[in-house]
Amino acid sequence: METRTEISSLGEFGLIKRINEGIKISLPDTIRGIGDDAAVIDTGEEYGLLTSDMLLEGVHFDLAFFPLKHLGYKAIAINVSDIAAMNGTPRQVTVNLALSNRFSVEAIDELYDGMKAACKDFNVDLVGGDTSSSRSGLLISVSVFGKVNKEKVTYRNTAKPNDLICVTGDLGGAYLGLQLLEREKQVFLVNPEMQPELDGKDYVVQRQLRPEARMDVVYELAEAGVVPTAMIDVSDGLASDLMHICAQSGVGAVIFEERLPIDEQTYLAASELNIGPVTAAMNGGEDYELLFTVSQASYELIKNNPKISFIGYTTANKEEIVLHTKGDSRVPITAQGWS
């Protein structure tokens, strides 16, 4: 009798690992396959970068509170973020859509208005894709092709012990924005007359609905003459994504709680929802900030950049990935990201 293994027993990363183990790369121009933010392809003078992401209604977004224009923008931005995480520049995107008949032509116009705004912001061309009917709501799949100088490509597996750990922007906002939107949806379902209570919460809501890819920091690092030693974008949560860098680079890490960049609105939303702001910052996900390591020599070149926080350092002990708390204790970091 054939055995049946539930996918849930592997989890997302276990499934990816299993798929990857069965795939062999044979072409000389395939430089890097599964396991990083984007695949790396030798195109001659430069490396080409290729990444792909799917957004499914009911899994990744809820149209009860997600404007289609923002959804279109987010679909492009989160893919461009993967190119940013390779220290590259996005160039072209393709978009695949599966639609049910409850969507009007005007609704699709709205979705594409958001995509066009993102393409303009990130200076990419939308060059094609595919459309299909769907029996289960909206599905958006985006692929982005980018480029990177061969000397400047940045992987997840190249951090060294005693590197500095940096993160752009601030953390935890997107997760708390989602919790607020979910809460207001439940209130609305009970009483459709109720007005949503989102005054003063625009920042965290925007972090969820319309995230930005941090191409600005990629350009600023290049201007400063800094190539990160390793990099990833924060999609699953700081803890989870840090553990990817540590596991693939064979290093440990110490993160300082007091150095975690958390916005004031994130603190207020966390307090209202009774969620620890540090928990949101470490495990929330969907911030799409860049988490990267740099050599200590690079510190002087970027220490005054207000968009970058230095939150810790890597160590040679790969068993030790810890949060140094404000109370001066060290707590093991565990990945509670998305699976």
Side-chain angles (χ1 to χ4, degrees), residues 160-171:
K160 308 274 191 302
N162 302 315
D163 280 348
L164 300 174
I165 300 171
C166 313
V167 73
T168 61
D170 57 84
L171 300 170

Side-chain angles (χ1 to χ4, degrees), residues 242-257:
L242 174 68
M243 289 180 80
H244 282 313
I245 286 181
C246 289
Q248 292 187 29
S249 297
V251 297
V254 179
I255 300 292
F256 294 96
E257 180 188 347

Side-chain angles (χ1 to χ4, degrees), residues 178-197:
L178 179 61
Q179 301 311 306
L180 287 168
L181 289 163
E182 292 278 10
R183 182 189 72 180
E184 294 308 312
K185 179 190 171 184
Q186 296 309 318
V187 170
F188 176 79
L189 290 174
V190 173
N191 181 0
E193 300 299 310
M194 288 289 282
Q195 288 299 307
E197 287 184 31

Side-chain angles (χ1 to χ4, degrees), residues 105-184:
V105 171
E106 289 76 14
I108 301 313
D109 285 346
E110 191 82 358
L111 185 69
Y112 271 90
D113 282 347
M115 290 185 190
K116 287 187 280 194
C119 287
K120 185 165 183 272
D121 281 358
F122 302 120
N123 194 26
V124 295
D125 282 336
L126 203 166
V127 294
D130 188 24
T131 52
S132 167
S133 62
S134 160
R135 293 181 180 175
S136 57
L138 177 62
L139 181 150
I140 308 169
S141 175
V142 175
S143 296
V144 183
F145 178 76
K147 291 181 175 181
V148 63
N149 180 303
K150 288 183 178 180
E151 305 298 311
K152 294 183 177 175
V153 63
T154 306
Y155 300 111
R156 295 176 180 180
N157 67 343
T158 40
K160 308 274 191 302
N162 302 315
D163 280 348
L164 300 174
I165 300 171
C166 313
V167 73
T168 61
D170 57 84
L171 300 170
Y175 174 72
L176 291 166
L178 179 61
Q179 301 311 306
L180 287 168
L181 289 163
E182 292 278 10
R183 182 189 72 180
E184 294 308 312

Side-chain angles (χ1 to χ4, degrees), residues 267-278:
Y267 272 113
L268 292 171
S271 168
E272 187 178 317
L273 292 161
N274 210 14
I275 295 170
V278 172

